[in-house]
Amino acid sequence: MLCVTAPLVGHDCYLLPRNPSFHFCKRRNPNSFITRASSSVQEIEKSPRSSERDLGSELHSSIPFPPITAAKRVVLVRHGQSTWNEEGRIQGSSDFSFLTQKGESQAETSRQMLIDDTFDVCFTSPLIRSKRTAEIIWSTREDEMIPEFDLREIDLYLFQGLLKHEGKAKFGEAFRQWQMDPANFKIDGHYPVRELWARARNCWSKILTHEGGSVLVVAHNAVNQALVATAMGLGTEYFRILLQSNCGVSVLDFTPRAEGRSPYICLNRLNQTPNSPIAAGSSGGRKACKRVILVCHGSTQNNLEASFPYSGDRSMNMLGVIQSQKTAELLLDLRVSSIICSPQIASFETAMAISKVQEAADCLGADCVPRYVEVKQINDLEVEHILRLSKKAKDQKMPGWLNGLEDEIMTQLWVHSEKAWHSLLNELSDESEPQKNVVVVGHPAAHIALMGHCLNLTKEWMGSFHLDAGSISVIDFPDGSAGRGIVRCVNYTAHLGRWSIPVTKSAAEDEEF
């Protein structure tokens, strides 16, 4: 039985004309949802009996992206807070709002975050709020900024300009469908989310065929969600699942493949925000009552030995100790309910650092009383013994390094981690605490697999995510542990300061790091 389920949102799947695609259905119970490629306006349907093995072997090659000859990194940024964001109005592709003072400040923070990057080009939505954000981030760079009409926000037609309560009062059931089932939402004869996915896919063709190796894209919430999803081969049912906060930064790495085939695609970061990712707020417009925070343990000596990355169960080095302390400080702003960790030494040390800081909440000014948090070890989070079986040693700092592992290793990792995911959801389902925050500490490979299970993917997607030592990823459950997980951020490292890998640079490529 699956732990995270959602209603089946429809049987529509959209493909670009003349391009191959894939359609995958993973059903373990009637409530599980379907994963598909959704990219344009030609409807298809394929038997849900397609096997995981057949689809897995064709996963990346069936995504029809233009081939590239050199690695390409694309950085997505959502615009800063706008006047209509502040008022709670539905903006869509209207162009009547502009950045607030807070929005300008957020854009400046993103500029500082990206100040050392030498982008070759900037693609931007032509709408005022996005264009102004791009101007602030681009600053004194002399390279070109290219306005791209397809990067405009989602077209919402008659909804645009309405306050949310006005939309509910005026459109009733249609507005409810927009909130509850956006993938199938129809207005004025249009399916906005489906059209958005088609536009996003069209944008990727333009971005990837540009000769620049480092590309900045400044756009909007919905279109950035669609860009991330279409890059990874996820369909319209993933709308509002991969969050994009104001001025949040997401990073995608594209690696060339032989014989002119579509590149490997890896989500290096999702929603690196100017504000804390664990701050109170909504997830997809709803308040989250349950939350899982995935914490990658701090660096160990074997993290630095690229030639043999699975060299044993070791303590953290000094860098790892600092990273764990920084993570503990960040989590001090959150009342942690429980900490679950792998029995590996580095994971347990990181978990204890978090627990001790929670216990010292009174003297650190976070609370008037100490928080005593139980640390639980579960063997299903331990994956190093599986990785050690691989004969293909891979540098864990490289994006998509899991793609290089043998299929049987990936299968073992996937099956092993599913047990851990069940345990986490059981922990989260405890109703004794209305607000439940579970911190999970483990190896990056284990956390990548856990996110895959949360999103109802298959093992073939594991190479599409990247996590660094000391990073955190946040999954919210606004409908409780039995509902669908919403990914607030992936591979967040801003809290590590100078002891983190830069937001858009890989340590393996940065000689000075």
Side-chain angles (χ1 to χ4, degrees), residues 243 279-292 434-437 474-480 486 488:
L243 293 192
S282 63
S283 289
R286 294 173 294 162
K287 185 176 181 181
C289 59
K290 307 283 186 178
R291 175 175 286 181
V292 170
Q435 298 290 325
K436 186 86 172 180
N437 299 303
V474 179
I475 304 171
D476 285 344
F477 292 84
D479 298 316
I486 294 177
R488 176 175 287 273

PDB file of all heavy atoms in Angstrom, residues 243 279-292 434-437 474-480 486 488:
ATOM      1  N   LEU A 243       7.340  23.893  -5.137  1.00  0.00           N
ATOM      2  CA  LEU A 243       7.066  25.302  -4.842  1.00  0.00           C
ATOM      3  C   LEU A 243       8.124  26.249  -5.399  1.00  0.00           C
ATOM      4  O   LEU A 243       9.298  25.895  -5.530  1.00  0.00           O
ATOM      5  CB  LEU A 243       6.944  25.505  -3.332  1.00  0.00           C
ATOM      6  CG  LEU A 243       5.750  24.848  -2.635  1.00  0.00           C
ATOM      7  CD1 LEU A 243       5.608  25.392  -1.223  1.00  0.00           C
ATOM      8  CD2 LEU A 243       4.451  25.059  -3.408  1.00  0.00           C
ATOM      9  N   ALA A 279      10.368  28.707   7.715  1.00  0.00           N
ATOM     10  CA  ALA A 279       9.518  29.747   8.302  1.00  0.00           C
ATOM     11  C   ALA A 279       8.054  29.394   8.094  1.00  0.00           C
ATOM     12  O   ALA A 279       7.684  28.691   7.152  1.00  0.00           O
ATOM     13  CB  ALA A 279       9.833  31.100   7.669  1.00  0.00           C
ATOM     14  N   ALA A 280       7.212  29.891   8.984  1.00  0.00           N
ATOM     15  CA  ALA A 280       5.771  29.643   8.873  1.00  0.00           C
ATOM     16  C   ALA A 280       5.254  30.207   7.561  1.00  0.00           C
ATOM     17  O   ALA A 280       5.679  31.259   7.100  1.00  0.00           O
ATOM     18  CB  ALA A 280       5.041  30.274  10.051  1.00  0.00           C
ATOM     19  N   GLY A 281       4.356  29.495   6.955  1.00  0.00           N
ATOM     20  CA  GLY A 281       3.791  29.948   5.689  1.00  0.00           C
ATOM     21  C   GLY A 281       2.937  28.860   5.089  1.00  0.00           C
ATOM     22  O   GLY A 281       2.747  27.797   5.667  1.00  0.00           O
ATOM     23  N   SER A 282       2.403  29.134   3.899  1.00  0.00           N
ATOM     24  CA  SER A 282       1.533  28.166   3.255  1.00  0.00           C
ATOM     25  C   SER A 282       2.308  27.355   2.230  1.00  0.00           C
ATOM     26  O   SER A 282       3.369  27.759   1.775  1.00  0.00           O
ATOM     27  CB  SER A 282       0.359  28.884   2.578  1.00  0.00           C
ATOM     28  OG  SER A 282       0.831  29.733   1.547  1.00  0.00           O
ATOM     29  N   SER A 283       1.747  26.209   1.886  1.00  0.00           N
ATOM     30  CA  SER A 283       2.303  25.362   0.837  1.00  0.00           C
ATOM     31  C   SER A 283       1.242  25.204  -0.235  1.00  0.00           C
ATOM     32  O   SER A 283       0.218  24.561  -0.011  1.00  0.00           O
ATOM     33  CB  SER A 283       2.696  23.989   1.400  1.00  0.00           C
ATOM     34  OG  SER A 283       3.829  24.081   2.231  1.00  0.00           O
ATOM     35  N   GLY A 284       1.483  25.822  -1.379  1.00  0.00           N
ATOM     36  CA  GLY A 284       0.477  25.781  -2.429  1.00  0.00           C
ATOM     37  C   GLY A 284      -0.816  26.436  -2.005  1.00  0.00           C
ATOM     38  O   GLY A 284      -1.900  26.019  -2.411  1.00  0.00           O
ATOM     39  N   GLY A 285      -0.725  27.469  -1.161  1.00  0.00           N
ATOM     40  CA  GLY A 285      -1.906  28.194  -0.713  1.00  0.00           C
ATOM     41  C   GLY A 285      -2.590  27.603   0.501  1.00  0.00           C
ATOM     42  O   GLY A 285      -3.601  28.111   0.957  1.00  0.00           O
ATOM     43  N   ARG A 286      -2.042  26.513   1.051  1.00  0.00           N
ATOM     44  CA  ARG A 286      -2.643  25.867   2.220  1.00  0.00           C
ATOM     45  C   ARG A 286      -1.631  25.761   3.345  1.00  0.00           C
ATOM     46  O   ARG A 286      -0.442  25.535   3.107  1.00  0.00           O
ATOM     47  CB  ARG A 286      -3.158  24.471   1.841  1.00  0.00           C
ATOM     48  CG  ARG A 286      -4.310  24.487   0.860  1.00  0.00           C
ATOM     49  CD  ARG A 286      -4.642  23.081   0.397  1.00  0.00           C
ATOM     50  NE  ARG A 286      -3.544  22.523  -0.394  1.00  0.00           N
ATOM     51  CZ  ARG A 286      -3.394  21.223  -0.632  1.00  0.00           C
ATOM     52  NH1 ARG A 286      -4.237  20.355  -0.108  1.00  0.00           N
ATOM     53  NH2 ARG A 286      -2.396  20.792  -1.374  1.00  0.00           N
ATOM     54  N   LYS A 287      -2.090  25.889   4.567  1.00  0.00           N
ATOM     55  CA  LYS A 287      -1.210  25.799   5.716  1.00  0.00           C
ATOM     56  C   LYS A 287      -0.862  24.341   5.986  1.00  0.00           C
ATOM     57  O   LYS A 287      -1.726  23.470   6.018  1.00  0.00           O
ATOM     58  CB  LYS A 287      -1.879  26.410   6.956  1.00  0.00           C
ATOM     59  CG  LYS A 287      -0.966  26.470   8.166  1.00  0.00           C
ATOM     60  CD  LYS A 287      -1.644  27.171   9.333  1.00  0.00           C
ATOM     61  CE  LYS A 287      -0.718  27.245  10.541  1.00  0.00           C
ATOM     62  NZ  LYS A 287      -1.373  27.913  11.694  1.00  0.00           N
ATOM     63  N   ALA A 288       0.425  24.079   6.180  1.00  0.00           N
ATOM     64  CA  ALA A 288       0.880  22.713   6.417  1.00  0.00           C
ATOM     65  C   ALA A 288       0.876  22.407   7.907  1.00  0.00           C
ATOM     66  O   ALA A 288       1.414  23.173   8.706  1.00  0.00           O
ATOM     67  CB  ALA A 288       2.281  22.517   5.849  1.00  0.00           C
ATOM     68  N   CYS A 289       0.271  21.282   8.278  1.00  0.00           N
ATOM     69  CA  CYS A 289       0.251  20.880   9.680  1.00  0.00           C
ATOM     70  C   CYS A 289       1.266  19.783   9.964  1.00  0.00           C
ATOM     71  O   CYS A 289       1.590  19.516  11.119  1.00  0.00           O
ATOM     72  CB  CYS A 289      -1.143  20.402  10.084  1.00  0.00           C
ATOM     73  SG  CYS A 289      -1.745  18.999   9.127  1.00  0.00           S
ATOM     74  N   LYS A 290       1.757  19.142   8.922  1.00  0.00           N
ATOM     75  CA  LYS A 290       2.754  18.089   9.064  1.00  0.00           C
ATOM     76  C   LYS A 290       3.922  18.404   8.136  1.00  0.00           C
ATOM     77  O   LYS A 290       3.726  18.873   7.019  1.00  0.00           O
ATOM     78  CB  LYS A 290       2.178  16.721   8.706  1.00  0.00           C
ATOM     79  CG  LYS A 290       0.890  16.345   9.451  1.00  0.00           C
ATOM     80  CD  LYS A 290       1.167  15.902  10.875  1.00  0.00           C
ATOM     81  CE  LYS A 290      -0.122  15.389  11.531  1.00  0.00           C
ATOM     82  NZ  LYS A 290       0.105  14.912  12.908  1.00  0.00           N
ATOM     83  N   ARG A 291       5.127  18.115   8.607  1.00  0.00           N
ATOM     84  CA  ARG A 291       6.296  18.460   7.806  1.00  0.00           C
ATOM     85  C   ARG A 291       7.426  17.468   8.049  1.00  0.00           C
ATOM     86  O   ARG A 291       7.665  17.037   9.175  1.00  0.00           O
ATOM     87  CB  ARG A 291       6.762  19.883   8.148  1.00  0.00           C
ATOM     88  CG  ARG A 291       8.036  20.326   7.465  1.00  0.00           C
ATOM     89  CD  ARG A 291       8.345  21.785   7.773  1.00  0.00           C
ATOM     90  NE  ARG A 291       7.464  22.676   7.041  1.00  0.00           N
ATOM     91  CZ  ARG A 291       7.528  24.006   7.107  1.00  0.00           C
ATOM     92  NH1 ARG A 291       8.407  24.583   7.913  1.00  0.00           N
ATOM     93  NH2 ARG A 291       6.724  24.750   6.396  1.00  0.00           N
ATOM     94  N   VAL A 292       8.123  17.107   6.972  1.00  0.00           N
ATOM     95  CA  VAL A 292       9.338  16.291   7.055  1.00  0.00           C
ATOM     96  C   VAL A 292      10.507  17.144   6.578  1.00  0.00           C
ATOM     97  O   VAL A 292      10.435  17.741   5.498  1.00  0.00           O
ATOM     98  CB  VAL A 292       9.225  15.017   6.195  1.00  0.00           C
ATOM     99  CG1 VAL A 292      10.578  14.320   6.090  1.00  0.00           C
ATOM    100  CG2 VAL A 292       8.195  14.063   6.784  1.00  0.00           C
ATOM    101  N   PRO A 434      -0.891  18.267  16.891  1.00  0.00           N
ATOM    102  CA  PRO A 434      -1.512  18.839  15.690  1.00  0.00           C
ATOM    103  C   PRO A 434      -0.469  19.320  14.685  1.00  0.00           C
ATOM    104  O   PRO A 434      -0.639  19.171  13.485  1.00  0.00           O
ATOM    105  CB  PRO A 434      -2.340  20.014  16.238  1.00  0.00           C
ATOM    106  CG  PRO A 434      -2.563  19.687  17.682  1.00  0.00           C
ATOM    107  CD  PRO A 434      -1.339  18.946  18.127  1.00  0.00           C
ATOM    108  N   GLN A 435       0.617  19.916  15.205  1.00  0.00           N
ATOM    109  CA  GLN A 435       1.729  20.350  14.361  1.00  0.00           C
ATOM    110  C   GLN A 435       2.880  19.369  14.570  1.00  0.00           C
ATOM    111  O   GLN A 435       3.427  19.289  15.671  1.00  0.00           O
ATOM    112  CB  GLN A 435       2.163  21.770  14.729  1.00  0.00           C
ATOM    113  CG  GLN A 435       1.100  22.831  14.541  1.00  0.00           C
ATOM    114  CD  GLN A 435       0.809  23.103  13.077  1.00  0.00           C
ATOM    115  OE1 GLN A 435       1.695  23.058  12.241  1.00  0.00           O
ATOM    116  NE2 GLN A 435      -0.448  23.395  12.768  1.00  0.00           N
ATOM    117  N   LYS A 436       3.233  18.645  13.554  1.00  0.00           N
ATOM    118  CA  LYS A 436       4.240  17.604  13.676  1.00  0.00           C
ATOM    119  C   LYS A 436       5.388  17.892  12.717  1.00  0.00           C
ATOM    120  O   LYS A 436       5.190  18.003  11.505  1.00  0.00           O
ATOM    121  CB  LYS A 436       3.631  16.246  13.348  1.00  0.00           C
ATOM    122  CG  LYS A 436       4.555  15.061  13.572  1.00  0.00           C
ATOM    123  CD  LYS A 436       4.495  14.572  14.999  1.00  0.00           C
ATOM    124  CE  LYS A 436       5.261  13.270  15.166  1.00  0.00           C
ATOM    125  NZ  LYS A 436       5.222  12.772  16.546  1.00  0.00           N
ATOM    126  N   ASN A 437       6.607  18.060  13.256  1.00  0.00           N
ATOM    127  CA  ASN A 437       7.788  18.316  12.453  1.00  0.00           C
ATOM    128  C   ASN A 437       8.810  17.217  12.708  1.00  0.00           C
ATOM    129  O   ASN A 437       9.383  17.131  13.794  1.00  0.00           O
ATOM    130  CB  ASN A 437       8.397  19.682  12.807  1.00  0.00           C
ATOM    131  CG  ASN A 437       7.438  20.825  12.538  1.00  0.00           C
ATOM    132  OD1 ASN A 437       6.960  20.999  11.422  1.00  0.00           O
ATOM    133  ND2 ASN A 437       7.129  21.612  13.562  1.00  0.00           N
ATOM    134  N   VAL A 474      12.738  20.181   2.355  1.00  0.00           N
ATOM    135  CA  VAL A 474      11.533  20.278   3.180  1.00  0.00           C
ATOM    136  C   VAL A 474      10.311  19.802   2.391  1.00  0.00           C
ATOM    137  O   VAL A 474      10.083  20.244   1.257  1.00  0.00           O
ATOM    138  CB  VAL A 474      11.305  21.721   3.672  1.00  0.00           C
ATOM    139  CG1 VAL A 474      10.043  21.808   4.516  1.00  0.00           C
ATOM    140  CG2 VAL A 474      12.517  22.222   4.451  1.00  0.00           C
ATOM    141  N   ILE A 475       9.556  18.895   2.998  1.00  0.00           N
ATOM    142  CA  ILE A 475       8.322  18.382   2.398  1.00  0.00           C
ATOM    143  C   ILE A 475       7.164  18.682   3.345  1.00  0.00           C
ATOM    144  O   ILE A 475       7.183  18.278   4.507  1.00  0.00           O
ATOM    145  CB  ILE A 475       8.395  16.864   2.149  1.00  0.00           C
ATOM    146  CG1 ILE A 475       9.612  16.530   1.266  1.00  0.00           C
ATOM    147  CG2 ILE A 475       7.109  16.362   1.498  1.00  0.00           C
ATOM    148  CD1 ILE A 475       9.879  15.044   1.154  1.00  0.00           C
ATOM    149  N   ASP A 476       6.172  19.401   2.858  1.00  0.00           N
ATOM    150  CA  ASP A 476       4.992  19.744   3.645  1.00  0.00           C
ATOM    151  C   ASP A 476       3.833  18.817   3.288  1.00  0.00           C
ATOM    152  O   ASP A 476       3.704  18.366   2.145  1.00  0.00           O
ATOM    153  CB  ASP A 476       4.563  21.192   3.382  1.00  0.00           C
ATOM    154  CG  ASP A 476       5.473  22.203   4.064  1.00  0.00           C
ATOM    155  OD1 ASP A 476       6.235  21.799   4.962  1.00  0.00           O
ATOM    156  OD2 ASP A 476       5.428  23.388   3.686  1.00  0.00           O
ATOM    157  N   PHE A 477       2.966  18.588   4.286  1.00  0.00           N
ATOM    158  CA  PHE A 477       1.767  17.765   4.093  1.00  0.00           C
ATOM    159  C   PHE A 477       0.556  18.559   4.572  1.00  0.00           C
ATOM    160  O   PHE A 477       0.084  18.379   5.698  1.00  0.00           O
ATOM    161  CB  PHE A 477       1.893  16.452   4.863  1.00  0.00           C
ATOM    162  CG  PHE A 477       2.952  15.530   4.328  1.00  0.00           C
ATOM    163  CD1 PHE A 477       4.273  15.676   4.714  1.00  0.00           C
ATOM    164  CD2 PHE A 477       2.633  14.537   3.423  1.00  0.00           C
ATOM    165  CE1 PHE A 477       5.258  14.843   4.221  1.00  0.00           C
ATOM    166  CE2 PHE A 477       3.607  13.695   2.921  1.00  0.00           C
ATOM    167  CZ  PHE A 477       4.927  13.845   3.317  1.00  0.00           C
ATOM    168  N   PRO A 478       0.042  19.473   3.741  1.00  0.00           N
ATOM    169  CA  PRO A 478      -1.098  20.301   4.164  1.00  0.00           C
ATOM    170  C   PRO A 478      -2.368  19.504   4.423  1.00  0.00           C
ATOM    171  O   PRO A 478      -3.254  19.968   5.139  1.00  0.00           O
ATOM    172  CB  PRO A 478      -1.277  21.283   2.998  1.00  0.00           C
ATOM    173  CG  PRO A 478      -0.613  20.631   1.835  1.00  0.00           C
ATOM    174  CD  PRO A 478       0.510  19.831   2.390  1.00  0.00           C
ATOM    175  N   ASP A 479      -2.473  18.298   3.865  1.00  0.00           N
ATOM    176  CA  ASP A 479      -3.642  17.445   4.081  1.00  0.00           C
ATOM    177  C   ASP A 479      -3.336  16.300   5.034  1.00  0.00           C
ATOM    178  O   ASP A 479      -4.059  15.295   5.060  1.00  0.00           O
ATOM    179  CB  ASP A 479      -4.140  16.882   2.744  1.00  0.00           C
ATOM    180  CG  ASP A 479      -4.592  17.981   1.799  1.00  0.00           C
ATOM    181  OD1 ASP A 479      -5.287  18.911   2.264  1.00  0.00           O
ATOM    182  OD2 ASP A 479      -4.245  17.927   0.614  1.00  0.00           O
ATOM    183  N   GLY A 480      -2.277  16.434   5.830  1.00  0.00           N
ATOM    184  CA  GLY A 480      -1.900  15.381   6.757  1.00  0.00           C
ATOM    185  C   GLY A 480      -1.044  14.318   6.097  1.00  0.00           C
ATOM    186  O   GLY A 480      -0.808  14.340   4.885  1.00  0.00           O
ATOM    187  N   ILE A 486       4.095  18.070  -0.580  1.00  0.00           N
ATOM    188  CA  ILE A 486       4.454  19.236  -1.389  1.00  0.00           C
ATOM    189  C   ILE A 486       5.902  19.605  -1.067  1.00  0.00           C
ATOM    190  O   ILE A 486       6.251  19.832   0.093  1.00  0.00           O
ATOM    191  CB  ILE A 486       3.513  20.418  -1.100  1.00  0.00           C
ATOM    192  CG1 ILE A 486       2.099  20.086  -1.569  1.00  0.00           C
ATOM    193  CG2 ILE A 486       4.011  21.693  -1.777  1.00  0.00           C
ATOM    194  CD1 ILE A 486       1.074  21.152  -1.263  1.00  0.00           C
ATOM    195  N   ARG A 488       8.781  21.862  -0.612  1.00  0.00           N
ATOM    196  CA  ARG A 488       9.027  23.289  -0.387  1.00  0.00           C
ATOM    197  C   ARG A 488      10.404  23.700  -0.895  1.00  0.00           C
ATOM    198  O   ARG A 488      10.583  24.783  -1.462  1.00  0.00           O
ATOM    199  CB  ARG A 488       8.887  23.615   1.098  1.00  0.00           C
ATOM    200  CG  ARG A 488       9.204  25.059   1.458  1.00  0.00           C
ATOM    201  CD  ARG A 488       8.938  25.336   2.925  1.00  0.00           C
ATOM    202  NE  ARG A 488       7.507  25.394   3.193  1.00  0.00           N
ATOM    203  CZ  ARG A 488       6.778  26.498   3.061  1.00  0.00           C
ATOM    204  NH1 ARG A 488       7.324  27.616   2.641  1.00  0.00           N
ATOM    205  NH2 ARG A 488       5.504  26.477   3.325  1.00  0.00           N
TER     206      ARG A 488
END
